[in-house]
Amino acid sequence: MRKALTPVVVLTTLAALAATAGCGKGDSGDTPVRFGGPGGSGSQGATHPGKGSLARMPTDPVNFKEQRKVGGAGGDTPIGVATYHGAKSGFTGKVWVWAPPEYYEKQNANKGFPVLMALPGAEGYPVNYWIGGDLKLEENLAQWSKEGKSLPFIVVMPVLNPNAKQYYDASDIPGQPKMGTWLNEDVPDFVRQNFRTLKSRDGWAIMGSSSGGFAALKNVLQHPETFKAAIPSGPDIVPDSPLWRGHAKEQRENNPEVLAKRLIAKGGPEVYLGFQDGSKESTIVPKVKKFITQYGRGPVKTRMQMVAGGMHGADTYVKAMDEGTIQWISKHMQGPAE
């Protein structure tokens, strides 16, 4: 059962709604942002990678509309937003993106960077609250990278659901918009089109809170060929959207318990699940601990970060990342490389 996250990011949501009008392949506005390709602010001096390179160069970059500047250690780097039509899912939705300061440095012009997809809780529509200056996810990631705690991640923040009426369990529920394909295939394709990324799964992670935490947990278990690591925060453990009614078989195929058991039996590939919870999440913590006890073995590597006095809220989960999760996840992933 889904719970509302605290804090409710009302001001951020209103500002984002006002700033993200537009449609098509890319959004244009008063301050266009281009992250890759000719003229891209993050690609000066880049050359075509040689054979055996770990880096993948952007293939079809678009203009993004600037959402806000990331201050502090972020060095006023931009968060951009564009509307993208997913060719594989058929879904059209907003995607917000941010590249860390290291991405713009001349000495890194030929390097691909790791990607962290960040998913919101609650409805996850029409905005993704991880863009907000109140939660400061990007500011913190920039600071953690500077301190050596975190890899310098490109952060990608798509909408989680197609509307605010239902939650879709980040899955392809029969007869509904294909939100699983949107998150697992279309959004990564969009990132590759616009950024210097890494070719292997070692450079791809996914995080989320509440319903987004379920999405992170499920998707890394369901698609370990795409994602190596996940940060599920305050997650549901099983799919429970009412839209599954009449589709028990398909619901089972999107159940993290089933997927984890299957991955263990197969023997890999290894995935890293950095669970996060607040100590006051009394209904969620026992379920997470049970999942770790049952399935945290073999190729399913798990860790749990508890925040003393923490609630079911995104601010708690940012704190948990700083207390150990981001360092653990980064240790098992590939950093920027040519």
Side-chain angles (χ1 to χ4, degrees):
M1 182 177 179
R2 298 298 187 270
K3 290 185 176 181
L5 276 179
T6 55
V8 179
V9 195
V10 177
L11 294 178
T12 297
T13 300
L14 292 175
L17 284 171
T20 56
C23 60
K25 193 175 182 182
D27 286 347
S28 60
D30 295 334
T31 311
V33 179
R34 194 177 180 91
F35 292 95
S41 57
S43 297
Q44 294 97 329
T47 59
H48 190 74
K51 187 177 180 180
S53 171
L54 298 178
R56 185 195 301 269
M57 294 294 138
T59 57
D60 190 18
V62 303
N63 282 341
F64 291 77
K65 182 176 179 179
E66 185 176 299
Q67 180 71 65
R68 73 174 180 92
K69 294 285 192 183
V70 174
D76 289 330
T77 48
I79 293 177
V81 60
T83 303
Y84 180 61
H85 176 73
K88 296 174 182 175
S89 67
F91 175 72
T92 301
K94 296 287 184 183
V95 183
W96 290 263
V97 297
W98 173 75
E102 293 91 337
Y103 188 84
Y104 300 91
E105 295 174 355
K106 187 176 181 180
Q107 66 267 28
N108 294 327
N110 292 318
K111 292 181 179 179
F113 276 67
V115 176
L116 177 63
M117 187 185 298
L119 302 175
E123 292 84 5
Y125 178 92
V127 294
N128 183 318
Y129 56 57
W130 290 116
I131 66 176
D134 45 1
L135 295 174
K136 297 186 183 302
L137 174 64
E138 296 79 15
E139 284 87 348
N140 278 291
L141 283 168
Q143 182 61 39
W144 298 333
S145 177
K146 187 177 180 180
E147 295 171 356
K149 290 182 180 179
S150 173
L151 295 177
F153 287 103
I154 296 167
V155 182
V156 183
M157 299 159 279
V159 293
L160 179 60
N161 289 310
N163 55 55
K165 298 177 182 178
Q166 297 280 1
Y167 50 91
Y168 290 70
D169 281 335
S171 303
D172 291 356
I173 301 175
Q176 304 297 333
K178 295 182 177 181
M179 302 314 294
T181 300
W182 161 254
L183 293 172
N184 296 309
E185 298 187 49
D186 287 332
V187 173
D189 283 348
F190 185 55
V191 177
R192 296 182 191 105
Q193 290 170 21
N194 285 280
F195 290 91
R196 302 190 310 276
T197 57
L198 294 162
K199 293 177 181 178
S200 81
R201 63 187 287 268
D202 292 351
W204 291 80
I206 182 170
M207 63 170 277
S209 48
S210 193
S211 53
F214 168 84
L217 172 62
K218 190 209 76 161
N219 287 341
V220 77
L221 291 168
Q222 192 174 44
H223 296 278
E225 75 284 354
T226 301
F227 300 105
K228 185 178 185 180
I231 304 175
S233 301
D236 291 313
I237 298 298
V238 297
D240 60 356
S241 171
L243 296 171
W244 287 115
R245 194 169 295 113
H247 304 290
K249 179 181 178 182
E250 292 84 355
Q251 184 177 10
R252 177 177 171 80
E253 290 300 309
N254 287 274
N255 187 329
E257 295 177 332
V258 173
L259 296 168
K261 185 176 181 180
R262 190 175 296 166
L263 190 62
I264 292 167
K266 188 179 176 182
E270 290 184 348
V271 295
Y272 293 82
L273 308 177
F275 290 94
Q276 301 190 141
D277 288 282
S279 63
K280 294 186 177 181
E281 294 188 84
S282 57
T283 61
I284 297 175
V285 170
K287 296 176 183 178
V288 171
K289 288 184 175 180
K290 181 180 178 182
F291 180 91
I292 291 173
T293 298
Q294 290 184 320
Y295 304 108
R297 53 192 171 87
V300 182
K301 312 298 183 182
T302 60
R303 181 183 186 277
M304 188 173 187
Q305 184 69 48
M306 291 288 294
V307 177
M311 307 288 288
H312 187 67
D315 51 348
T316 289
Y317 306 140
V318 173
K319 184 177 181 182
M321 292 172 76
D322 187 29
E323 291 181 354
T325 305
I326 197 64
Q327 192 165 6
W328 184 74
I329 289 294
S330 294
K331 186 168 63 174
H332 296 290
M333 295 185 65
Q334 172 68 54
E338 294 186 17

